[in-house]
Amino acid sequence: EVQLVESGGGLVQPGGSLRLSCAASGFTVSSNYMSWVRQAPGKGLEWVSVIYSGGSTYYADSVKGRFTISRHNSKNTLYLQMNSLRAEDTAVYYCARETGGNSLDYWGQGTLVTVSS
Amino acid sequence: DIQLTQSPSFLSASVGDRVTITCRASQGISSYLAWYQQKPGKAPKLLIYAASTLQSGVPSRFSGSGSGTEFTLTISSLQPEDFATYYCQQLNSYPGTFGQGTKLEIK
């Protein structure tokens, strides 16, 4: 059974850093495109970043230069390193697997990141 | 960047109604469009991918159509569990984008 479990969210001050983890089971992270998507409280979904199976990465303009997506192959885990956090980064962060059909077929339950002093 | 515009943003309907949600892309994305359903406090659920392919396990009352810049999601006969928020998404090119969402409420 495919499962994605995020962790690492919490309260952080503006300018601070946080690393989110997404532990996968039932499939191999490194063989798939893996994405992060976020949702600010009461708002819509925002695509954040993707890492290809080959290692290429892409970011939303709103996080480029501050966030880094990566993976640990032996741990079968996806990461999102978030630096220079701002209040507008406050959101539930979801990891998701991208299918060959250019869609996200499996999602984690989400982890809440709150940026506030 | 490709923008996706959904309409309407809010939709009030009754059980048994047929409803259609539209998603327009700012430039052509072939058939690389997906639809998701999200209920409060839950992760989104994939309904349709490649514009018209039903994800495994999704009821056949859901259908999608379109290509290029205009796409539709149709629910043929609303069921109580269908009242939720629906999003379109394109991953044809990065950055990926979502529509702003359509909240489907019970009339």
Side-chain angles (χ1 to χ4, degrees):
Chain A
E1 179 192 6
V2 170
Q3 195 170 13
L4 294 167
V5 179
E6 299 99 335
S7 61
L11 175 64
V12 60
Q13 292 188 338
S17 298
L18 212 55
R19 188 179 80 159
L20 306 183
S21 300
C22 170
S25 56
F27 73 101
T28 302
V29 164
S30 61
S31 299
N32 287 267
Y33 292 8
M34 297 295 298
S35 289
W36 288 97
V37 174
R38 68 184 181 182
Q39 187 170 36
K43 302 298 184 181
L45 301 170
E46 180 186 15
W47 179 87
V48 172
S49 182
V50 64
I51 184 167
Y52 283 4
S53 51
S56 298
T57 59
Y58 297 89
Y59 299 92
D61 290 344
S62 57
V63 307
K64 200 174 297 182
R66 300 188 299 123
F67 290 13
T68 303
I69 190 172
S70 65
R71 66 189 181 217
H72 193 299
N73 293 348
S74 63
K75 294 185 178 180
N76 209 32
T77 298
L78 178 72
Y79 300 103
L80 187 66
Q81 177 67 43
M82 305 186 294
N83 298 330
S84 303
L85 282 161
R86 307 167 180 167
E88 54 265 35
D89 296 318
T90 294
V92 173
Y93 285 74
Y94 297 100
C95 63
R97 185 180 78 170
E98 185 175 331
T99 72
N102 294 80
S103 56
L104 302 174
D105 63 345
Y106 285 96
W107 296 64
Q109 84 287 353
T111 188
L112 176 62
V113 172
T114 302
V115 184
S116 175
S117 55
Chain B
D1 299 356
I2 297 173
Q3 310 302 318
L4 296 179
T5 303
Q6 283 182 238
S7 60
S9 296
F10 296 94
L11 184 54
S12 182
S14 301
V15 173
D17 283 355
R18 178 184 180 92
V19 299
T20 297
I21 300 168
T22 297
C23 179
R24 290 187 173 88
S26 59
Q27 60 191 81
I29 56 172
S30 185
S31 296
Y32 296 114
L33 188 98
W35 290 96
Y36 301 86
Q37 176 193 69
Q38 187 181 33
K39 296 183 178 179
K42 300 294 187 181
K45 173 187 174 183
L46 177 64
L47 299 174
I48 302 279
Y49 63 93
S52 60
T53 303
L54 197 66
Q55 173 70 349
S56 176
V58 174
S60 59
R61 62 182 180 273
F62 291 92
S63 64
S65 65
S67 67
T69 61
E70 186 147 341
F71 302 85
T72 59
L73 171 70
T74 299
I75 310 173
S76 60
S77 178
L78 277 172
Q79 299 302 300
E81 61 268 28
D82 299 338
F83 292 94
T85 300
Y86 293 84
Y87 295 93
C88 57
Q89 182 204 26
Q90 71 81 25
L91 291 176
N92 176 64
S93 65
Y94 294 109
T97 44
F98 288 90
Q100 81 278 14
T102 296
K103 187 172 184 180
L104 178 53
E105 299 179 326
I106 300 174
K107 185 182 287 185

